[in-house]
Amino acid sequence: MIRRPPRSTLFPYTTLFRSPFQHENFHYNADEDYYVCPMGQHMTRIGTSHSKTASGYRSENTRYRARNCKGCPLRCLCYKAKGDRRIIEVNHRLNEYKRKARELLTSEDGLKHRGRRCVEPEAVFGQMKFNMAYRRFRHFGKDKVTMDFAFLDRKSTRLNSSHNRESRM
């Protein structure tokens, strides 16, 4: 029987603990650098791959491969590839960032800050994302983000004024 942690409102059960066969739920031994699959088999490191996103961010993914999946009773649940060994890719830096964020958000101070989080800006960001298809800020730094907000404000003002003109006619 696979144990599951208690349900948290911060990290919903359905997203993080959906399946014991997702590599996020495998046990990782950092000292010897290997993962353990649900069947107890070690997945050893076979190399790294580098990728670059459209925005220019470079990430490094480490690849791990199981020793032998032939005859495994959980193979059909674990993966559907034709090969005889499962390979997973893990971004250790991303996992570390997620761990730090989880610690900060669930700390006493983090819970206090989240409790004081204002509801009013949420509607503004929701409108930006849905109505204007604006998914992320394209610049870094306070001044440049302020410039992005000013751009969006002008864009929404123009859209609203053209809509108002059309409704008056």
Side-chain angles (χ1 to χ4, degrees):
M1 181 76 184
I2 297 172
R3 286 189 178 176
R4 294 187 172 103
R7 189 174 184 163
S8 166
T9 56
L10 181 60
F11 299 101
Y13 179 83
T14 56
T15 57
L16 187 58
F17 302 102
R18 183 177 18 227
S19 168
F21 301 105
Q22 290 180 334
H23 72 81
E24 292 91 1
N25 299 324
F26 289 4
H27 172 73
Y28 178 63
N29 184 330
D31 297 332
E32 297 180 29
D33 193 23
Y34 66 85
Y35 277 86
V36 180
C37 79
M39 219 26 218
Q41 187 174 160
H42 289 207
M43 300 181 81
T44 55
R45 182 181 185 146
I46 58 171
T48 58
S49 63
H50 299 276
S51 60
K52 188 176 181 181
T53 63
S55 62
Y57 184 78
R58 295 186 54 80
S59 64
E60 180 179 290
N61 295 323
T62 308
R63 300 181 71 172
Y64 295 88
R65 181 173 55 198
R67 291 194 180 142
N68 186 12
C69 294
K70 284 185 180 175
C72 177
L74 300 176
R75 186 194 183 285
C76 61
L77 299 171
C78 190
Y79 76 106
K80 293 173 177 37
K82 292 184 179 181
D84 62 343
R85 297 188 278 182
R86 180 173 177 186
I87 297 175
I88 60 172
E89 285 195 14
V90 180
N91 187 335
H92 289 292
R93 187 186 323 169
L94 177 63
N95 288 343
E96 183 62 23
Y97 288 151
K98 286 180 181 179
R99 185 191 62 77
K100 285 181 183 178
R102 188 177 300 119
E103 282 178 7
L104 290 172
L105 288 169
T106 56
S107 70
E108 188 176 322
D109 225 18
L111 292 171
K112 188 171 27 172
H113 284 293
R114 284 190 301 138
R116 292 188 310 189
R117 185 174 179 180
C118 187
V119 176
E120 293 171 7
E122 295 298 323
V124 175
F125 286 115
Q127 287 177 2
M128 283 172 44
K129 288 174 73 175
F130 185 74
N131 297 341
M132 299 180 194
Y134 200 80
R135 299 287 179 244
R136 63 173 40 205
F137 289 105
R138 281 136 177 96
H139 302 95
F140 298 100
K142 189 175 180 181
D143 295 337
K144 293 178 183 174
V145 169
T146 304
M147 178 190 67
D148 270 2
F149 263 123
F151 171 73
L152 282 172
D153 183 47
R154 293 212 32 149
K155 183 179 175 183
S156 68
T157 304
R158 275 186 285 167
L159 288 173
N160 288 337
S161 64
S162 67
H163 175 72
N164 290 339
R165 266 188 261 129
E166 289 173 5
S167 64
R168 278 188 245 145
M169 293 181 177

